[in-house]
Amino acid sequence: MNKIQKIMMSSALVLFVNSSWATEVEEPTLLNNLAYGQLIELNQYSPGQQKSLILRLFATPARNETCGLETGTTCKNNHLVTVATFDELPEVQVHTLQARGEFVKADWVVPKTPETAVDQAELLLTFREYNRFATRANPNLPEKLFQVKLKISQQGIDEN
């Protein structure tokens, strides 16, 4: 992703947060994501599936943790999900995930009926408890994976 795309994504995040559909996001979380967050385009996963929402995941190192191969610390990330419709005037939501860790992949769940897929999505996100650099530096850390199920609709975002 080039510099212009990153600036556009950061600007979009600011607009998302200021939108009336956006949920309250703490200022430090927003600033951390804008300053050094990693943008993950969730729509790139499950490529053959039709998607009716634009989903993005922002990952930032958890506060008060130093991450790096040389430190061997147990790094975990905080995650922020942004959701927007493909409309001319998109409806937007922002949700801070409870899950902490390193994002691994996303699997879009195929809806049972096409009618239920309009402006809705269901995803299964896979996370690694500790990032791969920390587990390489400290082999005693477990390489544990866990999953979070997101159900996204106009009423909100449900995280299980």
Side-chain angles (χ1 to χ4, degrees):
M1 181 178 296
N2 67 33
K3 198 173 207 173
I4 293 174
Q5 287 175 318
K6 286 182 182 181
I7 291 170
M8 289 175 52
M9 289 302 140
S10 297
S11 299
L13 180 61
V14 170
L15 290 174
F16 289 161
V17 171
N18 289 326
S19 169
S20 62
W21 258 71
T23 57
E24 186 82 16
V25 176
E26 294 179 6
E27 186 177 350
T29 302
L30 176 62
L31 294 175
N32 287 342
N33 279 286
L34 291 173
Y36 55 93
Q38 175 192 5
L39 171 64
I40 302 161
E41 295 284 349
L42 294 175
N43 286 46
Q44 72 180 343
Y45 292 88
S46 303
Q49 187 174 344
Q50 181 74 18
K51 297 168 179 88
S52 62
L53 296 169
I54 302 169
L55 297 176
R56 295 186 171 116
L57 181 71
F58 291 84
T60 57
R63 198 175 167 118
N64 297 328
E65 291 188 39
T66 55
C67 295
L69 185 60
E70 61 279 348
T71 64
T73 58
T74 55
C75 304
K76 294 186 179 186
N77 288 334
N78 291 324
H79 298 92
L80 186 72
V81 175
T82 60
V83 181
T85 60
F86 282 106
D87 303 334
E88 186 175 319
L89 297 171
E91 296 173 353
V92 178
Q93 296 182 60
V94 178
H95 178 76
T96 303
L97 292 180
Q98 297 301 310
R100 292 179 61 193
E102 180 182 45
F103 173 79
V104 176
K105 69 174 185 167
D107 294 305
W108 288 68
V109 177
V110 178
K112 293 182 173 130
T113 58
E115 303 84 45
T116 62
V118 177
D119 291 345
Q120 295 185 18
E122 190 172 326
L123 286 92
L124 196 58
L125 303 178
T126 303
F127 293 93
R128 185 178 290 115
E129 186 174 5
Y130 301 107
N131 76 25
R132 60 189 176 278
F133 300 115
T135 54
R136 284 185 199 147
N138 184 352
N140 295 328
L141 291 175
E143 293 190 32
K144 180 182 171 189
L145 296 177
F146 64 94
Q147 294 184 321
V148 173
K149 189 175 200 175
L150 290 182
K151 289 185 180 182
I152 301 161
S153 67
Q154 291 180 338
Q155 289 74 35
I157 300 172
D158 183 30
E159 176 184 355
N160 293 319

